[in-house]
Amino acid sequence: MPEEFCNTLDSSLDLNTPRSRENLRAMTALMEAIRAEEADIRLGGGMLAAKAQHAKGRLTVRERLKLLLDEESEFLELGLWAAQGMYAEYGGAPGAGVVTGLGRVSGRLCMIVANDATVKAGSFFPMTAKKVLRAQTIALENRLPTLYLVDSAGVFLPLQEDVFPDTDDFGRIFRNNAVMSSLGIPQMTAIMGMCVAGGAYLPVMTDTVLMTEGSGLFLAGPSLVQAAIGQRTDAEELGGAAMHAAISGTVDFKEPSDHLCLARMRSLAAKMGGSATELQGAFRKREFDAVLDAPKFAQQDLYALINPEPGASNVYEMREVIARIVDRSEFDEYKADFGRTVLCGYAWMGGHAVGIVANQKTNQRQTVAMGPAAGMTQMEVGGVIYTEAAQKAARFIMDCNQNLVPLVFLHDVNGFMVGKEAEWSGIIRAGAKMVSAVSTSVVPKIAVILGGSFGAGHYAMCGKAYDPRFLFAWPSARYAVMSGASAATTLAEVRARQLERSGKTLSDAERQALYEEIRTTYDAQADPRYGAARLWIDAIIDPAKTRETLIAALECCAQNKDVPRFNPGVLQT
């Protein structure tokens, strides 16, 4: 009998070992803390601010989203952590005062951008502009219809110099409105409160404008008009819904209330052309059954895989992760015996064909091809990219582009190997080849940071600077030039020498205190919450929701059927 083909991954993860139980405890505690903090962020400006919004006859942003989105639709919120821990001198700006994310409206997958008027009247902080621009970038890259719910007092004036003038500031939003329109990306705006000054351009530069009674749309409010030209007028006469519907003709639909405005928006969204089923595009998709095609192993097991404590030594089999996120746990591994510290291979995920590039965290034996140790077998450290691994990954990424297969990167990388043997083997040349392949890749790229993502390894694994369509992180992620321990050792030594040159001799206790101080600061900055607050990360995700998040992202990427020609340029050979 011929052997039967099998590409199904197995699992040897033992949930009952002391290490697994400790990892499970630590990850569970961290996830509970993350969820509690996220619940606070979602409160926006708090209960009193929500009551003030209701007193105006308006809904809060979360209430509006509940009415807008399909009842069974999962809302993939992006940028929730934006501005967290920032702007303390102004009372903070939870969520940067705007909610963005992906959800279905009348069956159509859309990008939603909705001001939160309970946070400083929906004013634009620097991070608010950055968050809206990130949402627009995702919509542009994936050709997603974009719905704006506007309720904003405009630029936060105390920080206007950081909001107004630069390339990636407030004005870029309106430029993006025009570019999206030129590409045929549907955009619709509901004005549901104030829409003032420069922000007034946003709705008018979209395809369709709805406005509720009691809202205001004007370049300058009544007070500024009186100060500028001496004219006295009230808000309704100057820029109310009735005026814009009947006199200026700016508003397409005038609605009495938030509820009816959102119902109208849903009705209009249902009639937009090009449904998701018609936009399979260039990427391979097959029929998918949520039960039959589910992985063989539970994603909840992933809690036992990694200790999320800073500096924890995590050695684990990356195939355990892959087996829990791909359809039927099936994985066609590419060059399985070569460059083993990076795993590459093909799989299905929610019926979408994908190529996976992942760091292997267990130590691997590899026969050396070049350099002083040529022909010898050496042990390669898990999480480190060696020459052979970089060469393999570069070729695999190029193959995925050639065959139009979207790429998923799973990060837990210390960086590239260093030392004489590595340099003789051409690590710089191989690393440049991998970085070049990532840079020129034209298929959708999605990255998930599981553990460490340090230095040039972050770049090679499609870090933020390399245009991933989405970048997600587990709570256990660490995101920096190097680990906190390594950075603290280096910086503490530099600081100690500086002090000694000035004539001060440090005791061992003082050196240790200096080290701990630097390490604590560095670890805090490497925490994914710090990165998410600055929008380096689109969302911090529950490890047990990794598969669902990736499927949602892949579905989003599939909406854009236009793929540029792959032209990798000059590669170091």
Side-chain angles (χ1 to χ4, degrees):
M1 289 286 293
E3 289 186 54
E4 186 177 343
F5 171 75
C6 181
N7 62 350
T8 305
L9 294 172
D10 215 336
S11 175
S12 58
L13 178 60
D14 186 349
L15 302 179
N16 294 312
T17 66
R19 183 189 184 97
S20 291
R21 288 198 296 268
E22 174 56 27
N23 290 350
L24 176 63
R25 183 206 61 77
M27 185 67 84
T28 300
L30 181 54
M31 272 308 309
E32 287 174 353
I34 293 278
R35 290 191 192 104
E37 198 166 348
E38 288 183 341
D40 284 341
I41 295 171
R42 289 191 174 98
L43 292 175
M47 296 303 294
L48 288 177
K51 287 181 180 178
Q53 183 78 345
H54 290 156
K56 298 173 187 174
R58 299 172 189 161
L59 300 174
T60 65
V61 66
R62 302 281 171 182
E63 291 166 340
R64 288 169 176 169
L65 288 174
K66 189 173 181 180
L67 290 174
L68 177 65
L69 296 167
D70 295 352
E71 285 189 17
E72 303 302 319
S73 170
E74 287 285 333
F75 182 58
L76 178 55
E77 187 162 356
L78 304 171
L80 173 63
W81 289 82
Q84 186 69 354
M86 302 170 69
Y87 311 125
E89 65 273 34
Y90 302 107
V98 64
V99 178
T100 62
L102 303 172
R104 290 196 174 277
V105 178
S106 297
R108 186 71 187 271
L109 184 63
C110 296
M111 172 60 73
I112 314 294
V113 178
N115 297 118
D116 185 350
T118 69
V119 179
K120 302 294 188 297
S123 296
F124 272 70
F125 286 76
M127 289 306 300
T128 315
K130 189 172 181 180
K131 182 170 175 177
V132 173
L133 289 171
R134 176 60 183 154
Q136 288 184 320
T137 297
I138 292 170
L140 268 165
E141 289 178 336
N142 300 293
R143 303 297 190 266
L144 290 176
T146 303
L147 308 181
Y148 303 90
L149 307 184
V150 175
D151 192 350
S152 170
V155 169
F156 186 67
L157 291 178
L159 295 173
Q160 65 85 26
E161 68 181 45
D162 297 319
V163 181
F164 169 69
D166 212 344
T167 308
D168 57 351
D169 286 345
F170 192 52
R172 188 78 172 185
I173 294 170
F174 318 133
R175 175 264 185 195
N176 285 351
N177 289 140
V179 171
M180 291 165 74
S181 183
S182 74
L183 294 170
I185 301 172
Q187 297 175 90
M188 195 185 316
T189 302
I191 301 168
M192 311 178 81
M194 289 299 104
C195 188
V196 185
Y201 284 109
L202 185 151
V204 183
M205 295 190 73
T206 62
D207 307 335
T208 307
V209 183
L210 300 84
M211 189 172 181
T212 59
E213 294 175 4
S215 296
L217 171 66
F218 25 67
L219 289 180
S223 299
L224 187 55
V225 167
Q226 184 176 351
I229 64 173
Q231 187 180 79
R232 291 178 177 273
T233 180
D234 63 31
E236 185 61 32
E237 183 182 22
L238 180 64
M243 188 282 291
H244 280 303
I247 299 175
S248 78
T250 302
V251 170
D252 302 312
F253 297 90
K254 175 173 71 75
E255 305 297 341
S257 66
D258 283 12
H259 292 80
L260 294 177
C261 186
L262 293 165
R264 177 79 71 181
M265 181 173 262
R266 285 182 52 80
S267 179
L268 295 170
K271 299 171 181 69
M272 290 189 298
S275 68
T277 56
E278 295 169 344
L279 293 175
Q280 296 304 327
F283 309 114
R284 188 81 172 99
K285 179 93 163 52
R286 70 177 183 182
E287 289 297 321
F288 168 70
D289 185 289
V291 176
L292 295 178
D293 292 319
K296 290 172 56 182
F297 312 103
Q299 282 189 94
Q300 195 68 36
D301 296 349
L302 296 175
Y303 274 39
L305 204 61
I306 292 179
N307 185 338
E309 296 297 326
S313 176
N314 284 301
V315 177
Y316 62 92
E317 171 58 67
M318 184 60 80
R319 293 182 187 87
E320 298 285 1
V321 178
I322 297 171
R324 287 165 174 80
I325 63 174
V326 301
D327 294 358
R328 299 176 180 254
S329 301
E330 293 174 351
F331 183 58
D332 296 303
E333 189 168 348
Y334 175 85
K335 294 185 185 290
D337 298 322
F338 181 73
R340 296 179 181 183
T341 60
V342 173
L343 296 176
C344 300
Y346 299 98
W348 297 98
M349 200 175 290
H352 299 270
V354 295
I356 295 174
V357 180
N359 304 113
Q360 174 60 283
K361 287 297 289 181
T362 59
N363 296 340
Q364 301 291 312
R365 290 195 174 276
Q366 179 73 48
T367 301
V368 182
M370 301 175 64
M376 298 175 60
T377 299
Q378 68 177 15
M379 186 65 74
E380 295 185 341
V381 179
V384 176
I385 302 176
Y386 288 76
T387 300
E388 297 85 359
Q391 290 172 340
K392 176 174 81 172
R395 173 58 189 273
F396 178 74
I397 291 165
M398 293 171 71
D399 284 357
C400 286
N401 277 271
Q402 186 75 7
N403 295 307
L404 296 178
V405 180
L407 285 157
V408 173
F409 293 82
L410 303 176
H411 294 219
D412 197 342
V413 58
N414 296 10
F416 286 91
M417 190 56 189
V418 297
K420 184 173 73 173
E421 289 77 10
E423 299 294 355
W424 283 31
S425 72
I427 186 65
I428 297 174
R429 188 174 70 248
K433 189 183 301 183
M434 184 176 176
V435 170
S436 180
V438 172
S439 302
T440 58
S441 178
V442 295
V443 297
K445 296 171 293 193
I446 303 168
V448 185
I449 304 175
L450 282 60
S453 190
F454 299 121
H458 172 75
Y459 301 152
M461 292 294 293
C462 195
K464 189 64 183 289
Y466 292 80
D467 299 322
R469 297 279 182 96
F470 297 93
L471 197 157
F472 303 113
W474 284 9
S476 49
R478 289 291 176 269
Y479 190 178
V481 172
M482 63 180 74
S483 69
S486 299
T489 300
T490 302
L491 294 174
E493 184 61 29
V494 169
R495 186 88 59 84
R497 289 178 181 177
Q498 289 172 338
L499 291 170
E500 287 169 353
R501 280 197 295 270
S502 66
K504 181 174 182 179
T505 301
L506 295 179
S507 67
D508 289 344
E510 288 172 325
R511 280 179 174 271
Q512 184 62 30
L514 184 60
Y515 169 85
E516 292 298 339
E517 177 189 348
I518 294 172
R519 178 170 179 170
T520 299
T521 300
Y522 206 89
D523 281 340
Q525 293 177 352
D527 189 289
R529 286 167 283 195
Y530 186 92
R534 287 149 185 81
L535 291 175
W536 304 339
I537 295 164
D538 290 314
I540 299 173
I541 62 173
D542 185 339
K545 296 288 183 66
T546 305
R547 173 175 164 82
E548 290 81 358
T549 303
L550 287 172
I551 290 172
L554 287 163
E555 185 175 356
C556 178
C557 293
Q559 306 304 302
N560 184 359
K561 60 183 178 181
D562 297 321
V563 184
R565 186 174 70 88
F566 179 49
N567 182 16
V570 175
L571 290 175
Q572 290 284 347
T573 59

